[in-house]
Amino acid sequence: QVQLVESGGGLVQAGGSLRLSCAASGTIFSIKNMAWYRQHPGKQRDLVALVTSGGFTNYADSVKDRFTISRDDAKNAVYLQMNSLKPEDTAVYYCNAQVVSRPWGADNDYWGQGTEVTVSS
């Protein structure tokens, strides 16, 4: 079993910055894609940013040039640096990881519990 634990959410004024962290623990052989999603109240969960095991990154248009995703494979961790925050970035942010738990095994999708980000105007 694998657990993802997020941290770093909170309240910040518009224009400010926050850094989200997510650490995976448990039975981990390797991790493929790692990503951050967010969910606004009453809306579906949307992809914010993704980083592959090879370091390729992809961002939602709404956060390009403001957010940066990175990963530390030695720590099984993924980070989201969020700059120039806007009120519309207010949401619950979820960490996601595609984890392979044994050699030649299939990957499984895991989610963190979510961390709340509130940006005041």
Side-chain angles (χ1 to χ4, degrees):
Q1 198 52 278
V2 174
Q3 298 81 38
L4 301 183
V5 178
E6 299 133 337
S7 60
L11 173 64
V12 64
Q13 288 190 328
S17 298
L18 281 176
R19 185 176 189 246
L20 304 183
S21 300
C22 172
S25 62
T27 307
I28 300 171
F29 175 72
S30 65
I31 302 178
K32 294 184 175 180
N33 295 347
M34 302 186 83
W36 289 94
Y37 287 73
R38 68 185 181 188
Q39 189 167 20
H40 296 98
K43 300 291 182 66
Q44 67 181 21
R45 195 174 295 185
D46 294 322
L47 177 67
V48 175
L50 176 147
V51 57
T52 69
S53 57
F56 173 81
T57 58
N58 189 39
Y59 296 92
D61 287 342
S62 59
V63 307
K64 277 180 183 174
D65 301 322
R66 298 190 298 122
F67 291 11
T68 302
I69 190 170
S70 60
R71 61 190 285 170
D72 184 338
D73 289 334
K75 296 180 179 180
N76 291 326
V78 63
Y79 309 98
L80 186 68
Q81 177 65 44
M82 305 186 293
N83 299 329
S84 302
L85 283 160
K86 304 175 181 180
E88 50 264 44
D89 294 318
T90 295
V92 178
Y93 285 71
Y94 295 90
C95 170
N96 170 264
Q98 296 176 334
V99 178
V100 178
S101 292
R102 55 186 177 86
W104 302 289
D107 58 277
N108 290 293
D109 237 18
Y110 292 93
W111 293 89
Q113 79 285 358
T115 184
E116 195 162 349
V117 171
T118 303
V119 184
S120 63
S121 56

